[in-house]
């Protein structure tokens, strides 16, 4: 439902949920998804956002200033492993991963890696995110600008696009 709410034309199959009844383990869900017109074609190139779970997301903080303190309900982490089957006859053109992001106190961090499996022409995308390191979930309004800058950096990295092109024949 979450995916369908963000991307209405998504076709989802093979849904699996692990550790639903064991809160001492991370919740793991996996599925196969097909999204018509997910990528944008420009001539012989196709641009796509491999960070699928952040596709269509907005920045966490939109205001330039903050009056009140900021409170997150709890620390959290997210680990995404995404395989994208590239179309036949296409190969990676530009697939630079965003630089690692973290604040000096390691309250939050984001690491994205990408690579291609040439034998299957699959783009492997890995995203490791955490926020609330050291239990830091309450921030005074005076900390808004550095916090906003950190989350703006997360959003920019999460919505990073790559380019694929028709392979030379």
């Amino acid at each position: 439902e979450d995916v369908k709410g963000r991307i209405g034309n998504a076709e989802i199959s093979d849904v699996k949920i692990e550790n639903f009844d064991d809160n001492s383990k991370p919740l793991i869900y996996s599925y196969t998804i097909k999204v018509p017109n997910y990528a944008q074609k420009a001539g012989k190139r196709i641009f796509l956002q491999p960070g699928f779970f952040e596709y269509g997301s907005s920045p966490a903080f939109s205001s330039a200033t903050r009056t009140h303190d900021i409170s997150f309900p709890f620390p959290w982490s997210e680990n995404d492993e995404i395989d994208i089957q590239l179309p036949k006859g296409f190969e990676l053109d530009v697939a630079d991963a965003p630089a690692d992001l973290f604040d000096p106190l390691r309250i939050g961090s984001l690491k994205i890696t990408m690579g291609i499996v040439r034998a299957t022409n699959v783009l492997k995308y890995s995203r490791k995110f955490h926020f609330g390191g050291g239990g830091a979930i309450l921030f005074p309004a005076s900390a808004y600008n550095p916090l906003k800058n950190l989350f703006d950096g997360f959003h920019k990295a999460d919505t990073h696009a790559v380019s694929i092109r028709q392979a030379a024949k």
Side-chain angles (χ1 to χ4, degrees):
E1 294 303 315
D2 175 55
V3 172
K4 293 292 264 181
R6 287 184 301 113
I7 307 170
N9 63 340
E11 301 168 17
I12 302 168
S13 61
D14 301 324
V15 177
K16 297 176 188 126
I17 300 175
E18 297 176 40
N19 305 326
F20 184 76
D21 295 326
D22 187 350
N23 63 5
S24 68
K25 296 180 182 175
L27 181 63
I28 299 171
Y29 55 98
S30 63
Y31 49 88
T32 299
I33 186 161
K34 182 177 179 183
V35 182
N37 301 314
Y38 181 75
Q40 292 79 41
K41 189 167 185 178
K44 293 184 178 186
R45 287 188 166 70
I46 297 176
F47 297 92
L48 65 98
Q49 179 183 320
F52 173 79
F53 295 110
E54 303 303 317
Y55 181 79
S57 67
S58 299
F61 299 105
S62 57
S63 177
T65 60
R66 180 81 181 197
T67 306
H68 302 286
D69 293 346
I70 303 132
S71 173
F72 294 91
F74 47 79
W76 78 98
S77 66
E78 301 167 0
N79 293 327
D80 302 333
E81 300 292 332
I82 301 170
D83 292 352
I84 299 173
Q85 178 66 60
L86 301 182
K88 289 185 188 224
F90 280 81
E91 62 189 11
L92 274 176
D93 184 27
V94 178
D96 55 332
D100 296 352
L101 292 170
F102 55 88
D103 64 283
L105 299 175
R106 302 287 179 160
I107 294 168
S109 69
L110 175 65
K111 180 177 181 64
I112 294 173
T113 57
M114 288 187 276
I116 189 78
V117 178
R118 297 220 184 271
T120 57
N121 209 26
V122 169
L123 174 64
K124 299 276 222 183
Y125 175 92
S126 174
R127 175 183 179 267
K128 296 187 183 328
F129 170 85
H130 94 275
F131 188 81
I137 57 173
L138 294 170
F139 301 89
S142 61
Y144 180 67
N145 284 338
L147 191 63
K148 179 184 183 333
N149 290 339
L150 181 63
F151 274 85
D152 285 351
F154 292 156
H155 183 260
K156 183 178 179 182
D158 282 338
T159 57
H160 179 77
V162 299
S163 154
I164 60 174
R165 64 179 162 83
Q166 285 181 322
K169 294 180 180 183

